[in-house]
Amino acid sequence: VQLQASGGGLVQPGGSLRLSCEAFGPTLDKLAIGWFRQAPGKEREGVSFDSGNGKTYYKDSVKGRFTISRDNAKNTMYLQMNDLKSEDTAVYYCAASTTLGWDELALKITGIYSAWGQGTQVTVSS
């Protein structure tokens, strides 16, 4: 599977962005998906995950502000980000795994994902 991410940009604190990630290859309903981010000088971290069997998970600092979703008809996954903060500034990556049903701990491990998008920059600044 190949992933194409888009939707990043510059936004003021408190603003919103929606990231998109289109999958080419296996249909999205057969994939576990995740969004990760990497800020300068920091390790890549998991932000939000969808196990593919109806369960979603979020990093504590984004709960209530970010929402992961998928549109299987468009083969596209999304990350809706509201009330953005300066600490959300990072390059965001989408990822997909052909194995469904990972638990929350496993979904945070980058090694389970077989496909990655190219990254899209999100900058939150006034």
Side-chain angles (χ1 to χ4, degrees):
V1 58
Q2 292 185 324
L3 303 176
Q4 179 71 40
S6 61
L10 173 64
V11 63
Q12 292 185 341
S16 298
L17 281 175
R18 188 178 76 160
L19 305 183
S20 300
C21 181
E22 186 175 5
F24 299 90
T27 55
L28 203 59
D29 60 348
K30 294 180 173 60
L31 303 173
I33 59 176
W35 287 95
F36 290 76
R37 67 187 182 189
Q38 188 166 17
K42 295 187 176 181
E43 292 187 354
R44 191 170 299 189
E45 63 177 6
V47 176
S48 182
F49 314 97
D50 180 334
S51 65
N53 60 356
K55 296 183 178 180
T56 58
Y57 307 97
Y58 296 91
K59 178 180 172 61
D60 284 347
S61 63
V62 308
K63 284 180 181 177
R65 299 190 296 122
F66 289 14
T67 304
I68 189 171
S69 64
R70 63 172 84 202
D71 184 334
N72 291 333
K74 295 182 178 180
N75 231 32
T76 300
M77 54 194 277
Y78 303 98
L79 185 67
Q80 177 67 44
M81 305 185 295
N82 298 328
D83 189 23
L84 283 160
K85 307 178 186 299
S86 58
E87 52 263 41
D88 295 318
T89 294
V91 177
Y92 282 71
Y93 299 88
C94 55
S97 169
T98 55
T99 300
L100 301 180
W102 296 105
D103 64 19
E104 183 176 8
L105 286 177
L107 286 165
K108 295 178 181 179
I109 301 172
T110 57
I112 71 158
Y113 297 93
S114 55
W116 290 84
Q118 81 282 17
T120 183
Q121 176 71 48
V122 172
T123 303
V124 184
S125 174
S126 55

